[in-house]
Amino acid sequence: MMIHNTYKILFLLSSLCLLMGCIDFNDTASSINIAVQMERPESFLPSADLSGFAVTIQSKTDKTTALTDSEGKVVFTDMVPNTYNISVDADITARYHEYTGQTLDGKEQFTLSGALNGQAVSQSASLTFRPTTFRKATLIIGKVYASGSKESVGNKSYDAGKYLEIYNNTDEAVDAAGLYIGLTETESTIAYQVYPYETAPTPGVIHLKQVFRVPDGSPVMVAPGGTLLLVNSAFDHSAHNQFERDLRDADFEAKDSRGNIPNNTATPALQLIYSCYSSLTYMNLVQGGPCGIVIFRTGEDVSTWPTVYAYGKERGNLFMEMQAAYAMDGVDIIKNNTSTGPNINTKRLFEVIDASYTFENAPAGRTGERLVRKTASVAADGRKVLQDTNNSLNDFVINTSLAPRAYLEPEDN
């Protein structure tokens, strides 16, 4: 009996070995190829050469860049199955006539930008996206402090020190009078999912919970490389912890009608045009996201723009409808998750406003994180030229130490 059992065991082991010989254990970790086709932008000539554009493919942990061929194609080899964001960002000012056949006036600058976000790739695949050309804005969103912090004594949440900075990215002074600042809706259940621009339920419309305006009674000049500092509380907040700053030199303050946030009577008021919350008259910058921000100009009476309830509802908060085409610049701060990473389903802005998104590292905020636009270069006069590719994932970095109106050196991005 023992001999019979021994042969049976040997037979089973031999069979197992034969089976194992047929299995490639590298299959479970085998690499894949991802072919990316950058389609010709609508503004480009049919004959335009699409070679040399840097396409970036990025997962939560890795980032790779390769150049397109003459037809706009690039193949990423030896990749691993993962969820990827794919993007292209390029300054095309110098070759704008070559690409489009149009002549610039000498001051205009253009960028090519596009993205394909949240692509789950499990095997070799071909992906396609079409970037768009954008005229670079004169005024851009330079810094967003929405995270807030914790009191150094008592560990209580501290929100009064939140602020925005609008940056003049040109070599000439710009009048910011009449500039609008819009904050997108931030419902926990998204009120309006972002669809492709052309196929949205209401084409080309985004939904704002608050709209503010820089007073337009007299010029508000922003110097080249200068900033417009917009705050909720124009006081010195630095005593509360190491993250807060002195904001007494703010240009405008969003006044709190309830008096819960201290206001400085010496600081001019940022005009409140609309708020879906009757009790909130200060900038409702949401820590941890989502927190979409746009700046825009229009000669229309914004206070008369239509308002709507969340999709499918007949009551609740009313959100103002804004035509996305009015946006000069936008930053889409989406919600982050410790284990799964940024949640692209919380994106509020069309890709024509922000081709991608950015986010705070701390999912719940309260860590003093500022989203700061990178410095692309320094002009001969010492003015910092901030990076503006219409893709916040590439344009912004997190910083907790910069003072208001201060920006990074190019090597510190």
Side-chain angles (χ1 to χ4, degrees), residues 338-360:
T338 304
S339 57
T340 59
N343 181 1
I344 64 170
N345 293 321
T346 61
K347 183 173 172 60
R348 261 58 174 188
L349 298 178
F350 291 114
E351 292 183 356
V352 295
I353 300 177
D354 187 347
S356 191
Y357 54 80
T358 186
F359 56 92
E360 297 170 6

Side-chain angles (χ1 to χ4, degrees), residues 300-315:
E300 298 178 13
D301 182 355
V302 174
S303 65
T304 66
W305 283 1
T307 57
V308 293
Y309 294 113
Y311 187 73
K313 294 186 177 182
E314 296 181 354
R315 60 182 180 179

Side-chain angles (χ1 to χ4, degrees), residues 255-273:
K255 307 293 185 179
D256 180 13
S257 61
R258 297 180 302 173
N260 292 336
I261 293 178
N263 291 141
N264 191 334
T265 56
T267 305
L270 188 64
Q271 296 177 342
L272 176 65
I273 304 301

Side-chain angles (χ1 to χ4, degrees), residues 69 76 97 131 158 172 189 196 358:
D69 63 17
F76 296 93
H97 179 74
Y158 192 76
E172 295 181 349
T189 299
T358 186

Side-chain angles (χ1 to χ4, degrees), residues 247-320:
L247 302 179
R248 286 176 294 180
D249 73 334
D251 296 290
F252 294 95
E253 181 183 62
K255 307 293 185 179
D256 180 13
S257 61
R258 297 180 302 173
N260 292 336
I261 293 178
N263 291 141
N264 191 334
T265 56
T267 305
L270 188 64
Q271 296 177 342
L272 176 65
I273 304 301
Y274 179 76
S275 178
C276 72
Y277 314 113
S278 59
S279 60
L280 295 186
T281 59
Y282 56 85
M283 292 184 292
N284 184 222
L285 301 169
V286 178
Q287 61 275 2
C291 182
I293 303 163
V294 291
I295 57 175
F296 61 98
R297 290 187 188 274
T298 177
E300 298 178 13
D301 182 355
V302 174
S303 65
T304 66
W305 283 1
T307 57
V308 293
Y309 294 113
Y311 187 73
K313 294 186 177 182
E314 296 181 354
R315 60 182 180 179
N317 292 320
L318 282 166
F319 305 108
M320 180 172 279

Side-chain angles (χ1 to χ4, degrees), residues 5-295:
N5 286 340
T6 301
Y7 278 113
K8 181 183 277 188
I9 293 170
L10 289 173
F11 175 77
L12 290 171
L13 288 173
S14 298
S15 299
L16 184 59
C17 287
L18 287 172
L19 287 171
M20 290 173 67
C22 297
I23 298 174
D24 181 2
F25 284 97
N26 290 325
D27 282 352
T28 57
S30 60
S31 62
I32 60 175
N33 296 334
I34 303 176
V36 177
Q37 177 64 58
M38 186 189 82
E39 292 187 338
R40 189 176 304 277
E42 292 182 1
S43 61
F44 275 32
L45 296 169
S47 59
D49 184 356
L50 299 182
S51 63
F53 287 98
V55 175
T56 298
I57 186 166
Q58 185 173 1
S59 68
K60 186 178 180 181
T61 56
D62 297 298
K63 182 178 181 180
T64 304
T65 299
L67 300 180
T68 56
D69 63 17
S70 61
E71 298 300 319
K73 186 175 182 180
V74 60
V75 178
F76 296 93
T77 60
D78 296 325
M79 306 295 290
V80 298
N82 210 329
T83 297
Y84 290 100
N85 293 334
I86 298 159
S87 64
V88 63
D89 308 289
D91 188 322
I92 59 171
T93 304
R95 301 180 65 183
Y96 188 75
H97 179 74
E98 175 187 338
Y99 288 138
T100 68
Q102 301 177 22
T103 301
L104 299 180
D105 65 4
K107 284 290 185 181
E108 293 178 304
Q109 295 186 348
F110 279 82
T111 184
L112 180 77
S113 180
L116 194 62
N117 299 315
Q119 299 299 299
V121 184
S122 60
Q123 58 187 355
S124 293
S126 296
L127 303 174
T128 301
F129 74 110
R130 185 192 298 275
T132 305
T133 56
F134 296 91
R135 179 184 284 105
K136 291 186 178 181
T138 55
L139 295 175
I140 58 176
I141 299 169
K143 193 182 299 176
V144 182
Y145 180 40
S147 172
S149 61
K150 293 279 190 177
E151 295 270 16
S152 56
V153 178
N155 205 36
K156 183 180 178 182
S157 295
Y158 192 76
D159 291 325
K162 295 180 179 182
Y163 63 89
L164 296 175
E165 286 183 21
I166 310 301
Y167 190 87
N168 178 4
N169 212 28
T170 73
D171 60 359
E172 295 181 349
V174 174
D175 186 2
L179 181 73
Y180 288 92
I181 300 93
L183 304 184
T184 61
E185 62 87 7
T186 52
E187 302 292 279
S188 56
T189 299
I190 190 168
Y192 284 89
Q193 183 66 52
V194 173
Y195 295 83
Y197 183 81
E198 300 81 4
T199 60
T202 308
V205 170
I206 61 175
H207 298 84
L208 306 177
K209 64 180 180 182
Q210 288 183 308
V211 178
F212 297 87
R213 182 175 64 178
V214 175
D216 62 353
S218 58
V220 180
M221 304 306 297
V222 183
T227 60
L228 192 68
L229 181 57
L230 310 176
V231 307
N232 281 333
S233 178
F235 283 92
D236 185 356
H237 303 275
S238 59
H240 292 271
N241 55 54
Q242 74 271 29
F243 301 119
E244 299 299 331
R245 300 289 178 264
D246 186 349
L247 302 179
R248 286 176 294 180
D249 73 334
D251 296 290
F252 294 95
E253 181 183 62
K255 307 293 185 179
D256 180 13
S257 61
R258 297 180 302 173
N260 292 336
I261 293 178
N263 291 141
N264 191 334
T265 56
T267 305
L270 188 64
Q271 296 177 342
L272 176 65
I273 304 301
Y274 179 76
S275 178
C276 72
Y277 314 113
S278 59
S279 60
L280 295 186
T281 59
Y282 56 85
M283 292 184 292
N284 184 222
L285 301 169
V286 178
Q287 61 275 2
C291 182
I293 303 163
V294 291
I295 57 175

Side-chain angles (χ1 to χ4, degrees), residues 354-375:
D354 187 347
S356 191
Y357 54 80
T358 186
F359 56 92
E360 297 170 6
N361 283 331
R366 310 297 184 194
T367 53
E369 293 177 297
R370 288 156 176 78
L371 292 164
V372 180
R373 195 178 286 268
K374 297 177 182 177
T375 300

